[in-house]
Amino acid sequence: MKIYIDGKFYDQADAKISVFDHGLLYGDGVFEGIRAYNGRVFLCDEHLDRLADSAKAILLKLPIPMAEIKEAMLETCRQNNIRDGYIRLVITRGVGNLGLSPDKCPKATVFIIADSIQLYPEKFYEEGLRVVTVPSQRIPPSALSPSVKSLNYLNNIMAKIECQQANAQEAIMLNHEGYVAECSGDNVFTVKKGVISTPPIWAGALGGLTRKAVLELAKQTGREVRETMMTRYDLWVADEVFLTGTAAEVVPVVDIDGRIVGAGKPGPVTGDLMRRFRELTRLAGVAISH
Ligand code: PMP
């Protein structure tokens, strides 16, 4: 595997960054997880826009223009013969000293990994996931905006640990007021009497690009969609629940906190959106090859 770091490609064993990089010392940096399907980078510009916004929000100056970062990402895919895969694009604050001050980091570090994708096993798409509500609350947007896709994922990692201890595949994270925010690495949706709902960003959710694409697909099919505050009650009484994310795509949920969702198997609206989303991934995107 060839890994891009600051303009050069390295073998995996030699792809290293400094222990003084503030991305490592403080989680000071931003990233994107991006998918390639069928020789194209899916939602390429949308991911780069979100990355630019994350960087802007933390006053992280890009070391090279975004157009060059895009080209580096496409070249990383080419170097690794990626047609279908997962791209991790990371920009850290760069090398500084042991203090947390970013002004001691003169230049941001960019690295890009393009690898094959590890999906949930197929059985979860057919049978659905088990999820649990976890004790760790989502960091409130008033403290740190969840829209910043930063390298500091400890809040989400705590949630992941808690769900794994409960033998579940994903964690439902509530916000500080007890409303449903999102999952540790996915957005959450309900379907009730045909209406598709998801918590608003300001409930404490990342503005997921899969979430956005699914909302658009649902609207195109004439379904009513709502971005609305939800409590766990709304999950318990939903006809269907599903999660969305770049890695997970659209995945059904059949059990929440030991309660069976709907009929206990993936529902028809979820199935329809899974199919439509998969179709979309195969048609759209920026071509990797020249
Ligand atoms: N929420 C969180 C906390 C995430 O990390 C992710 C995935 N990176 C998502 C939601 C889903 O976002 P997207 O569809 O853009 O991958």
Side-chain angles (χ1 to χ4, degrees), residues 38-197:
N38 199 21
R40 295 167 200 266
V41 177
F42 184 57
L43 300 178
C44 182
D45 292 332
E46 289 82 348
H47 279 286
L48 295 177
D49 283 351
R50 185 168 70 182
L51 185 70
D53 284 348
S54 292
K56 187 174 181 187
I58 69 163
L59 288 180
L60 174 61
K61 191 172 175 302
L62 303 182
I64 51 175
M66 197 51 96
E68 280 179 42
I69 293 177
K70 178 175 179 175
E71 181 45 37
M73 175 173 70
L74 296 173
E75 185 55 29
T76 309
C77 291
R78 285 179 211 124
Q79 294 271 335
N80 292 285
N81 292 318
I82 296 287
R83 278 186 64 75
D84 293 274
Y86 183 83
I87 304 157
R88 177 56 56 93
L89 170 44
V90 183
I91 310 181
T92 76
R93 188 74 69 176
V95 174
N97 61 18
L98 288 181
L100 60 81
S101 179
D103 67 3
K104 297 291 184 296
C105 306
K107 192 164 173 286
T109 303
V110 180
F111 65 87
I112 307 170
I113 307 167
D115 200 356
S116 53
I117 176 81
Q118 267 206 315
L119 284 175
Y120 283 123
E122 192 53 37
K123 99 175 176 103
F124 290 127
Y125 294 87
E126 286 158 14
E127 296 169 16
L129 298 181
R130 207 174 99 70
V131 305
V132 288
T133 316
V134 293
S136 287
Q137 295 174 344
R138 191 78 177 97
I139 292 173
S142 53
L144 178 65
S145 173
S147 298
V148 177
K149 204 163 161 53
S150 85
L151 293 180
N152 198 320
Y153 252 54
L154 213 43
N155 184 219
N156 313 59
I157 289 165
M158 293 303 286
K160 192 77 190 177
I161 290 169
E162 289 159 358
C163 91
Q164 284 173 342
Q165 283 176 331
N167 283 320
Q169 286 87 39
E170 247 293 17
I172 300 282
M173 299 184 80
L174 307 180
N175 70 13
H176 59 294
E177 292 179 313
Y179 291 98
V180 175
E182 62 175 341
C183 294
S184 71
D186 299 312
N187 291 109
V188 59
F189 285 73
T190 59
V191 184
K192 179 76 172 171
K193 295 194 195 310
V195 179
I196 297 174
S197 304

